[in-house]
């Protein structure tokens, strides 16, 4: 196993946050294999292991992926249509520009745009793929949950393992069939890309705990609506 400093599992969980400023420096081959080996230890429905993992290092392929990613991300969220001054203290959400703690603020938006503009420069892009996607009816929420439940635990394993080697990651959104990502990666007809995950050493930022809504607001006890204040965690 490659040399690394030991990292407590809870510390890894609390400090594995989205990292979008990544260096182009290559990731050693043995480190990459360790990260991928950790990924496939994740849960998968019925132990079917109907996944595949496409590791992209070829520059031409990264260039092509980056063009699709940048165009779709910026147009879908309108990140390029609102200035920092116009955004102010508000956040960009799927529902539009809103005040509150949920969504992308001006600082986060700069990171999102930076990654979109430099996606082709990251050393590695990992595409988790479900090979059994065509067997399920993707028009139902249950089918979508079944697909995600059979790979996203493994995706989190991959990101935690990368953190153990001081490598930053972020899980970017998926693409529909019209994006052409499947064709770029040479996927078989029944396979679907579930995410695109760039990996790289940090160019900017640090590993730290992400801000989240208070625990007491999102945890319900025995029944929905039965809530209580969370104890002090010490973190």
């Amino acid at each position: 196993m490659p040399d690394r400093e030991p990292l407590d599992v809870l510390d890894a969980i609390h400090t594995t946050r989205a990292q979008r400023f990544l260096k182009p420096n290559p990731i050693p081959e043995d480190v990459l294999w360790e990260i991928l080996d950790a990924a496939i230890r994740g849960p998968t429905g019925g132990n079917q292991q109907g996944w595949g993992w496409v590791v992209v290092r070829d520059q031409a392929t990264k260039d092509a992926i980056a063009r699709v990613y940048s165009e779709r991300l910026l147009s879908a969220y309108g990140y390029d249509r609102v200035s920092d001054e116009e955004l102010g203290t508000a956040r960009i959400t799927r529902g539009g520009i809103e005040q509150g703690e949920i969504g992308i603020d001006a600082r986060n938006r700069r990171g999102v745009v930076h990654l979109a503009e430099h996606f082709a420069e990251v050393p590695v892009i990992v595409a988790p793929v479900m090979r059994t996607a065509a067997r399920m009816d993707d028009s139902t929420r249950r089918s979508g949950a079944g697909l995600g439940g059979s790979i996203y635990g493994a995706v989190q394993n991959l990101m935690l393992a990368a953190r153990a080697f001081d490598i930053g990651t972020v899980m970017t959104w998926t693409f529909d069939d019209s994006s052409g990502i499947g064709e770029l990666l040479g996927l078989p007809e029944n396979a679907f890309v579930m995410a695109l995950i760039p990996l790289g050493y940090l160019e900017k930022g640090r590993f730290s705990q992400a801000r989240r809504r208070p625990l007491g607001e999102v945890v319900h006890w025995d029944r929905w609506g039965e809530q209580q204040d969370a104890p002090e965690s010490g973190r």
Side-chain angles (χ1 to χ4, degrees):
M1 179 178 290
D3 292 336
R4 63 179 181 83
E5 290 294 324
L7 181 64
D8 178 80
V9 64
L10 287 179
D11 288 338
I13 290 170
H14 277 266
T15 60
T16 299
R17 60 183 300 168
Q19 302 290 351
R20 297 183 175 92
F21 292 88
L22 305 174
K23 295 178 180 179
N25 303 31
I27 296 173
E29 189 87 8
D30 56 348
V31 170
L32 194 52
W33 280 105
E34 286 290 340
I35 292 170
L36 293 164
D37 188 54
I40 66 167
R41 308 301 160 183
T44 176
N47 197 29
Q48 294 185 66
Q49 302 177 58
W51 53 40
W53 305 82
V54 182
V55 181
V56 181
R57 293 183 293 185
D58 173 70
Q59 190 59 54
T61 305
K62 288 193 294 182
D63 289 341
I65 290 173
R67 284 192 291 271
V68 176
Y69 177 81
S70 179
E71 177 185 335
R72 294 200 167 211
L73 181 85
L74 295 177
S75 63
Y77 282 85
Y79 288 139
D80 56 345
R81 296 195 294 270
V82 182
S83 68
D84 286 357
E85 291 73 21
E86 292 171 316
L87 187 58
T89 60
R91 291 171 178 256
I92 301 172
T93 73
R94 292 183 183 274
I97 307 299
E98 299 177 5
Q99 292 287 343
E101 295 296 317
I102 306 302
I104 300 294
D105 62 15
R107 180 180 62 83
N108 295 146
R109 190 263 302 275
R110 287 191 288 273
V112 171
V113 173
H114 175 86
L115 179 62
E117 293 175 344
H118 298 271
F119 208 81
E121 298 167 24
V122 300
V124 176
I125 300 171
V126 175
V129 173
M130 285 302 294
R131 295 187 290 108
T132 55
R135 301 177 193 171
M136 306 184 75
D137 178 5
D138 61 6
S139 67
T140 68
R141 276 189 278 179
R142 181 174 180 178
S143 293
L147 281 175
S150 287
I151 198 166
Y152 287 136
V155 168
Q156 181 69 358
N157 271 17
L158 182 143
M159 297 172 73
L160 288 169
R163 168 67 186 92
F165 289 99
D166 292 327
I167 292 170
T169 59
V170 57
M171 189 174 79
T172 67
W173 67 325
T174 57
F175 300 88
D176 58 37
D177 291 337
S178 67
S179 70
I181 294 294
E183 288 79 7
L184 280 173
L185 300 180
L187 300 187
E189 186 176 350
N190 69 334
F192 189 77
V193 173
M194 301 296 287
L196 290 173
I197 307 169
L199 281 71
Y201 296 103
L202 302 194
E203 177 181 70
K204 181 180 176 182
R206 60 191 178 90
F207 295 108
S208 60
Q209 183 166 267
R211 288 178 294 177
R212 291 291 182 262
R213 292 170 59 188
L215 195 56
E217 287 185 10
V218 297
V219 176
H220 304 255
W221 299 87
D222 298 317
R223 295 176 58 83
W224 190 270
E226 297 293 331
Q227 294 177 288
Q228 60 190 50
D229 291 336
E232 292 293 329
S233 66
R235 284 186 179 270

